[in-house]
Amino acid sequence: RWQDAYKVIKENASDWARARMALLEKALHATNAPKKLDKSRAEKLFGSPAEFSISRLESFAQCGYKHFIQYGISPADSKFTEVNPIDWGTVFHTAMEMLADDVAQSGLDWSALSADEIEKRIDRIYDDLLDEYSHGKLFYTFSNRAAARKMKRAGTKTAVIAAEHIKKGSFRPVEYEVKFGHNKKYPPLVLSFDKANILLKGKIDRVDLMEKDGVQYLRIIDYKMGSKDIDITKVVNGLQIQLFVYIRAALNAYPGAVPAGVFYYTLQDGVVTLKSTDDIEKIEQSKLEKAQLKGLFINEPAIIEGLDPGFESKSTIVPLTKKKDKTVKSKSLVAKEVFEKIIKLALDKAIEASSRILNGDNPIEPYKFDRTSTSCKYCSYIGICGFDERFSGNSYRKLIKINLDDMEVGG
């Protein structure tokens, strides 16, 4: 056997050779499993009492070791001139906030502003913002300049459509980029476990309200650079809890208000895909459908009417259709009890992640959603963790897959 041959070679080898053979043996049995932090060290590293952002807890749900590197070690990125998606996201969010401030200072309601007026205002805002952002970083290279022009066109189009959504609906923005947390405008969400409290913090892109028949309805809108929708499987696995935690924080700030829904609104590039040239006349309709708010909203007549008053067969604001018998249909509609159940689930996942972080858990356990979607795919720290399925203990974590029907109360 080769083991017997190896033993003989090792016994007759020099001290230098035996030392290197020992290293090979160690590598042969490597597990690539990080050592768990003791609780006191974890508390020193992450704070006590801890205040966590929701994106941070979602990072832990992606992979415990990713969270440890990102928020515990916090390696700095030395690249200065390169523009990344975070830069564009910051510009997009800031421009939308500045537009809202501009409209508010003018004393006008959104319904009083034409598309041309919105376009002029946001165009001016982007000119100033792109020039000033990070000391002109966005114009350091030719590729950055081209991307900045593209960003301005898409941002302008996005703002015009967002304004149209507001004008057509009954919900009105009341807060932009509002923060909750310690010493913020909204108080932090306080969650308890193991006789300890953790504080949750965050920044809500937009809070909208609608008052009808003495009831105040509240919805949350989150701006995104790329297309995104609610995936209940990701919520259940702690990967997409942000909007449901955010709406809980907003409802705490508006006592008596009831939830209406949570939505993503994405940057619109104005590009649509047609199956044939026969569909050219459908371009505008396709653009409107692409620009719809995506998310979950409660199946109540007042809320549906408030989202898109008087729509006939197909809403251009939310994914909602009306049948001939006047009943409505949408994959985004849920019962109020189900919506509240999802909020509670999101808070439970926040407690679970926070508890594991403060107990020192930092496992290398990335998830795999399907054949191509894994938490390693775009991870910046893959070169640090060295994840490899050939190592003992290195394997992808499979997600619990469910659909909205499984969330029915009692299910």
Side-chain angles (χ1 to χ4, degrees):
R1 297 185 309 164
W2 71 265
Q3 292 95 333
D4 295 330
Y6 179 82
K7 182 178 179 181
V8 172
I9 293 171
K10 185 175 180 179
E11 288 174 350
N12 293 280
S14 65
D15 291 342
W16 180 90
R18 277 198 294 270
R20 274 141 188 83
M21 292 173 79
L23 291 175
L24 289 173
E25 291 172 12
K26 184 177 180 180
L28 184 64
H29 300 289
T31 60
N32 193 32
K35 184 179 179 181
K36 179 178 177 178
L37 300 174
D38 62 67
K39 191 171 182 179
S40 61
R41 183 168 295 180
E43 288 180 350
K44 288 180 181 178
L45 186 61
F46 300 121
S48 180
E51 186 176 31
F52 294 143
S53 68
I54 315 307
S55 57
R56 178 172 180 170
L57 300 181
E58 290 178 341
S59 173
F60 183 87
Q62 291 172 21
C63 175
Y65 200 70
K66 175 187 177 181
H67 169 271
F68 172 69
I69 296 297
Q70 185 175 1
Y71 294 97
I73 305 301
S74 302
D77 187 351
S78 61
K79 296 178 182 179
F80 178 71
T81 59
E82 181 180 333
V83 181
N84 58 50
I86 295 176
D87 291 312
W88 295 126
T90 301
V91 170
F92 176 41
H93 282 75
T94 304
M96 295 298 283
E97 181 183 10
M98 291 174 68
L99 175 63
D101 290 340
D102 190 42
V103 172
Q105 290 174 12
S106 70
L108 297 173
D109 185 80
W110 287 94
S111 60
L113 296 171
S114 66
D116 286 342
E117 179 61 25
I118 292 291
E119 189 168 343
K120 288 177 182 177
R121 290 171 183 261
I122 194 68
D123 194 65
R124 184 178 66 251
I125 287 169
Y126 268 103
D127 282 342
D128 295 339
L129 191 57
L130 291 171
D131 186 52
E132 296 174 4
Y133 182 77
S134 193
H135 307 288
K137 174 182 177 180
L138 302 182
F139 293 99
Y140 278 9
T141 67
F142 287 111
S143 61
N144 285 357
R145 293 174 197 171
R149 290 193 294 270
K150 182 179 179 181
M151 176 71 192
K152 180 182 175 181
R153 289 195 301 271
T156 300
K157 189 177 296 293
T158 300
V160 170
I161 296 175
E164 287 299 312
H165 285 176
I166 296 170
K167 289 162 65 175
K168 290 180 67 175
S170 299
F171 283 85
R172 287 293 179 268
V174 292
E175 304 272 13
Y176 299 89
E177 302 291 330
V178 61
K179 296 180 180 180
F180 64 93
H182 183 62
N183 290 330
K184 303 302 180 185
K185 185 171 184 179
Y186 291 0
L189 280 176
V190 182
L191 304 181
S192 301
F193 68 93
D194 294 339
K195 298 180 181 180
N197 289 334
I198 58 160
L199 308 180
L200 298 185
K201 64 180 181 178
K203 184 166 68 172
I204 306 170
D205 290 342
R206 204 174 98 199
V207 179
D208 292 356
L209 289 177
M210 174 187 74
E211 291 198 24
K212 190 169 186 178
D213 299 328
V215 180
Q216 198 173 52
Y217 297 91
L218 184 148
R219 73 178 181 186
I220 294 295
I221 292 182
D222 192 51
Y223 298 132
K224 290 296 179 186
M225 288 291 290
S227 179
K228 192 167 185 177
D229 204 346
I230 299 292
D231 187 322
I232 196 63
T233 288
K234 291 186 176 180
V235 177
V236 168
N237 287 276
L239 300 166
Q240 197 180 15
I241 62 174
Q242 187 179 64
L243 292 192
F244 298 100
V245 175
Y246 280 10
I247 197 169
R248 180 70 269 164
L251 288 168
N252 288 352
Y254 285 87
V258 297
V262 294
F263 299 93
Y264 294 111
Y265 181 55
T266 58
L267 185 71
Q268 302 300 313
D269 57 10
V271 177
V272 295
T273 301
L274 301 178
K275 293 181 179 180
S276 72
T277 54
D278 295 335
D279 292 335
I280 291 177
E281 68 276 7
K282 299 179 182 178
I283 288 178
E284 288 306 315
Q285 181 64 28
S286 297
K287 287 181 179 179
L288 291 174
E289 290 178 6
K290 186 179 178 182
Q292 286 178 332
L293 300 174
K294 302 295 194 300
L296 288 181
F297 52 100
I298 293 175
N299 190 1
E300 290 187 7
I303 293 173
I304 293 170
E305 176 67 16
L307 290 170
D308 192 354
F311 81 95
E312 295 181 0
S313 60
K314 200 169 188 179
S315 171
T316 57
I317 298 178
V318 291
L320 190 64
T321 57
K322 187 180 291 183
K323 300 178 183 178
K324 291 181 179 180
D325 62 1
K326 302 300 181 182
T327 58
V328 293
K329 181 181 179 181
S330 174
K331 64 180 180 63
S332 301
L333 275 175
V334 294
K336 182 179 180 181
E337 295 78 12
V338 172
F339 193 86
E340 291 175 343
K341 184 178 180 180
I342 297 173
I343 292 177
K344 183 180 183 304
L345 172 65
L347 295 175
D348 288 343
K349 299 308 292 187
I351 291 175
E352 178 186 323
S354 301
S355 174
R356 292 188 64 190
I357 291 170
L358 294 178
N359 279 314
D361 286 353
N362 59 353
I364 299 176
E365 51 175 22
Y367 73 82
K368 176 176 280 189
F369 189 55
D370 51 39
R371 289 184 178 180
T372 59
S373 179
T374 73
S375 50
C376 294
K377 190 171 184 178
Y378 300 109
C379 181
S380 301
Y381 312 113
I382 188 69
I384 298 176
C385 78
F387 175 80
D388 191 323
E389 289 187 280
R390 291 172 294 183
F391 280 123
S392 173
N394 274 192
S395 59
Y396 285 109
R397 185 177 87 253
K398 293 184 179 180
L399 302 184
I400 303 169
K401 295 187 178 182
I402 70 167
N403 56 51
L404 274 175
D405 292 338
D406 299 322
M407 294 298 297
E408 292 297 331
V409 176

